Amino acid sequence: MSCPQLILHLPYSPPFNCYQLFFYLSWLQNACHKGSYGYQKLKEREPRACIRFKCALTNTILDILRRRPGWVEVKEEGEWDFYWCDVCWLRENFDHTYMDEHVRICHFRNHYELTRKNYIVKNLKRFRKQIEREAGKLEATKCDFFPKTFEMPSEYHLFVEEFRKNPGITWIMKPVARSQGKGIFLFRKLKDVIDWRKVKQITCFILQDGVRTDDQKDETQVENYVAQCYIENPYLIGGRKFDLRVYVLVMSYIPLKAWLYRDGFARFSNTRFTLSSIDDHYVHLTNVAVQKTAPDYDPEKGCKWMIQRFRQYLTAKHGAEVVETLFAEMDNIFIKSLQSVQKVIISDKHCFELYGYDILIDQELKPWLLEVNASPSLTASSQEDYELKCRLLKDTLHIVDMEGRLTGKEKRIGGFDLMWNDGPVSRAEGNVDTPVNGSFMANTHLGYNNDRKKQLKQLFKSLPTQQKVQC
Amino acid sequence: MMLEQDTGLSLAIAQIVQRLKGSSLHSQLERQARGSLHKPEIKLESLKEDIKDFLKTSGWEKRLQNAVYSELNVFPSPCHPAAPPEHMKEPLVYMRKAQGSWEKRILKSLNSMCTELSIPLARKRPIGEQKELFNKWNEMGTDEPDLSLFRPVYAPKDFLEVLMNLRNPNYENGDQPSFRNHLGLIQVPLKVKDIPELKDYFSELGLNTGQLGIDDSTQVPPELFENEHVRVGQTVLTEQDSAAAQQYVRQGCPTALRAELWALILNISNQPEDILYYEQLKSNVIQHDLLVDSLIYKDVKLTASNDDYYFVFEDYLYQVLLCFSRDTSVLEHFSYNSATPPKSYIRGVIPFHGFSMYVAPLCFLYHEPSKLYQIFREMYVRFFFRLHSISSHPSGIVSLCLLFETLLQTHLPQLFYHLREIGAQPLRISFKWMVRAFSGYLATDQLLLLWDRILGYNSLEILAVLAAAVFAFRAVNLMEVTSLAAAEAVLADLSTLKVMPLLQIFLFATVT
């Protein structure tokens, strides 16, 4: 054992009896792990007595972190073991922050490969080509869940070509980096795009001379847009358009380990769907942030259905088999999208990320990927929503397992089911390592009953842990 | 005795034949029989037998069987031939009288609203307005008429006050109230089932029988019950047998089969003439505006539109309820309903606060307006009407209230007494649940499991049993409250309750 640079205060003076020797050796071993920061440095998977956290948000996640037993909030400049950070901090600080082995942070450095609209398009296109080369055309069609998208202005001419090939269809223009539905508009005529482009250029020209704020800078110079094929035949319920929000937790990209949450919700547009009202922002965008500003928005009226209710509605209408197929296709979206960025995302073992997937279903019951959010909203819109987000975040923290309780072989933790573990995960009995015989059924349960409390009780009972567990 | 039974049976047969004669099924059967004459297997010598066999094998006998079964379910068994028609509506005179005066009150209230607001009960729409409504038919929910001056004609609690004051003039209960007497709000001596009778009646809900809502949970391997149950359900649907379906749904409907099973039990087949009938009603709506329409609008906006799950179906609710208020075929159920339609422009049902909640859950199952309409209409004439009219029927609201109070007083006497002492009579809280058949109070999937059993047993008694089971479930918390408001708060949120386990525990697992 080498213990450089430490002054040892021996508890006993030699000679030792065997008990004192034993004590001395184990004390020595512990002492050697004292880091230069002066706090006790434990081995990575050892149960920790106290977990220091920092949180950049003031909504549901902060409530959950504060209530977690053994977790303590640290002040501004204190040392932390866990940080629920925002992406701005990440961009500015990740590269020069030293993190010990056990430290966890809730974003991957370059998550935008998955979440920015122009990058995901590029990554999916490249991945699709790769699959076509390796496994053929049919297999590659499994990647056709993203509506045709063109980056602007770089792919403007390609877009115009595609536009001319399909006259009369509707397109949607979205800024790549903004959220909450800002800056989006629909169009059918090329003239609309040309006009818009002119306006943007003129604005840029005018503002070049003046003093600009950071926001304006983004808008005029850095901002890119994508033009995307608008899905004109969305599945409607009660005449209303909706999209699905699903949560996927990625613990690592190499190897790819991803969990799917059983809960989720369908977000409804407050008004009836019709293609004739392209200018009605409120009809087409189901984003809750946009709906909140619609004139007839009633905040008491949650425009959300829990996904369990949605799944039941579809089953009653179309039968169980059709719904199984739809949900299996959604599983495919999650997995393929993650695989497409597997090689580009820096898979730092300190990082994990909870993604909010936005899925749109069309009338043929085909699911489409609208976008992936790295910071899905954790602000609750209703009591039911608050409870869902509490469950989601509690279970996320269980999986991150700062407390070092899990074996790593679990297939289900609370409401999360292990969807991908460097390969598909089967629903069959047994843990991750059990070999599968018979037909394969995926270990995903989106829209199933989330009896997480029971499952967590059983799980933690079976684990060798002394710590108090909050389910 | 035997003679009575025989005459009873032949009377019943005669009445059913009378009702089915002239129905579309009758003409279809005739057509089929005539068409079969061309078939080689029909021989002149044995014409009658051969045609009967043909109808059997082609499934028409089944359809006739279903129609007969439907008639038996809906119409009460005929009483003594000398009994007057009012007797079939309601045998007890004091109940009839009470229903009569309640109706007068409602009508008076409606008329005074009319005079106050200077709105006619009915008017013909100008052509422009008709066109507009026609174009907007599928999205009437976007309309925002000014309804601030309209009030619901009555709310469930008004109705409860009336029921509380019901007295049988022939029944003298002069003694001081004691434990021997009934401590609840309902003071009429109707016969209700006790727990041993309920156990027998609801035997398929027992602990040893598989149930959807319990034995299909993720913990239970589907091979044990669910798979087989689904298979049986599919067979029932292939056989198209109403009676079998009714028996089957007592154990719950699989989600994917529920819509078809309910339609089979209610004998709804959405024939072209049914669709035509619905279109006819729709054109009535477009041509005439009724005062009742505004009440319907108001009710939908106040209740279903504010519900987290039913708001999506707002447009469907208008399409169903506006037509329903003009449907004169609903009138024929008044022959066995203690209520009487008003002799004025309002030919149908006057909606009360929460009425639209009867329709909302059905929108989860039926998406085609005319089918949704027929299902709702059939549900109304079989079940829902009993929840807001005064009668002595075992599924009538009076009996349900009495059943609820009796169950609670007998099996949870301490709780009942405690609540009574703090001024929180249990019926005051559970009444609204039962009047709405729990719609809007339970989670939708649980509500549909409950309504499965209403259809399966052709009775609403399960509502009273569930209400008592809910109180039993929350008894510990209720014992600690000291006011009506606090008791209401304990029972405010039923959305997390699982209906079938509650019913099973209350009926079969409690020591009586």
Side-chain angles (χ1 to χ4, degrees), chain B residues 425-470:
Chain B
Q425 275 274 8
L427 186 60
R428 285 200 190 276
I429 302 174
S430 65
F431 187 70
K432 55 188 183 289
W433 302 338
M434 292 191 285
V435 166
R436 283 223 216 147
F438 282 89
S439 174
Y441 296 104
L442 295 174
T444 329
D445 60 328
Q446 295 301 309
L447 185 77
L448 294 172
L449 287 168
L450 178 68
W451 287 16
D452 283 341
R453 274 72 179 191
I454 292 180
L455 282 159
Y457 290 98
N458 199 33
S459 147
L460 292 164
E461 285 157 302
I462 201 149
L463 298 177
V465 180
L466 179 61
V470 171

Side-chain angles (χ1 to χ4, degrees), chain B residues 201-370:
Chain B
Y201 187 68
F202 292 118
S203 57
E204 290 86 350
L205 301 185
L207 297 168
N208 292 326
T209 316
Q211 300 294 333
L212 287 184
I214 298 175
D215 300 294
D216 55 335
S217 80
T218 43
Q219 255 65 39
V220 180
E223 304 84 63
L224 284 182
F225 168 71
E226 198 182 349
N227 288 349
E228 181 59 21
H229 190 64
V230 172
R231 213 189 47 79
V232 173
Q234 282 160 342
T235 314
V236 168
L237 283 173
T238 327
E239 291 296 303
Q240 284 290 297
D241 188 328
S242 283
Q246 192 162 325
Q247 182 66 32
Y248 173 78
V249 305
R250 293 180 180 185
Q251 290 170 273
C253 289
T255 312
L257 305 178
R258 181 175 281 125
E260 284 182 66
L261 283 165
W262 284 20
L264 181 55
I265 295 172
L266 297 169
N267 208 29
I268 305 285
S269 50
N270 212 24
Q271 297 293 316
E273 55 260 26
D274 301 315
I275 300 176
L276 206 62
Y277 187 76
Y278 176 73
E279 290 297 317
Q280 186 77 38
L281 290 173
K282 179 175 163 182
S283 66
N284 284 352
V285 177
I286 292 180
Q287 283 170 11
H288 296 270
D289 179 23
L290 300 181
L291 174 70
V292 172
D293 293 351
S294 304
L295 298 175
I296 290 171
Y297 260 104
K298 182 117 192 177
D299 186 52
V300 173
K301 290 284 182 206
L302 284 179
T303 56
S305 297
N306 276 326
D307 185 288
D308 284 340
Y309 284 93
Y310 298 132
F311 75 93
V312 172
F313 302 122
E314 190 183 345
D315 297 331
Y316 289 129
L317 297 178
Y318 298 120
Q319 292 174 35
V320 167
L321 290 168
L322 292 178
C323 290
F324 183 70
S325 61
R326 290 158 175 73
D327 193 343
T328 51
S329 76
V330 174
L331 293 180
E332 71 175 20
H333 95 279
F334 281 107
S335 63
Y336 57 88
N337 180 355
S338 57
T340 312
K343 296 176 182 53
S344 65
Y345 266 109
I346 307 162
R347 302 287 283 147
V349 178
I350 299 177
F352 58 89
H353 179 65
F355 192 83
S356 56
M357 294 305 277
Y358 289 142
V359 190
L362 301 174
C363 297
F364 258 89
L365 302 172
Y366 304 99
H367 314 99
E368 206 265 291
S370 88

Side-chain angles (χ1 to χ4, degrees), chain A residues 415-469:
Chain A
F416 273 111
D417 293 296
L418 185 59
M419 170 170 61
W420 193 267
N421 188 33
D422 201 19
V425 180
S426 154
R427 216 184 255 194
E429 279 299 304
N431 67 18
V432 170
D433 296 331
T434 315
V436 183
N437 11 326
S439 56
F440 176 82
M441 266 218 81
N443 186 37
T444 50
H445 298 82
L446 181 60
Y448 276 55
N449 187 28
N450 186 5
D451 53 346
R452 55 181 288 280
K453 276 204 166 125
K454 208 191 260 182
Q455 195 270 348
L456 287 170
K457 262 204 189 90
Q458 285 172 340
L459 174 67
F460 286 120
K461 231 193 263 176
S462 70
L463 295 171
T465 169
Q466 302 302 319
Q467 286 186 320
K468 175 182 178 209
V469 175

Side-chain angles (χ1 to χ4, degrees), chain A residues 75-86:
Chain A
K75 301 290 182 291
E76 284 298 311
E77 295 309 315
E79 299 297 327
W80 42 268
D81 306 303
F82 181 94
Y83 190 5
W84 195 279
C85 63
D86 58 41

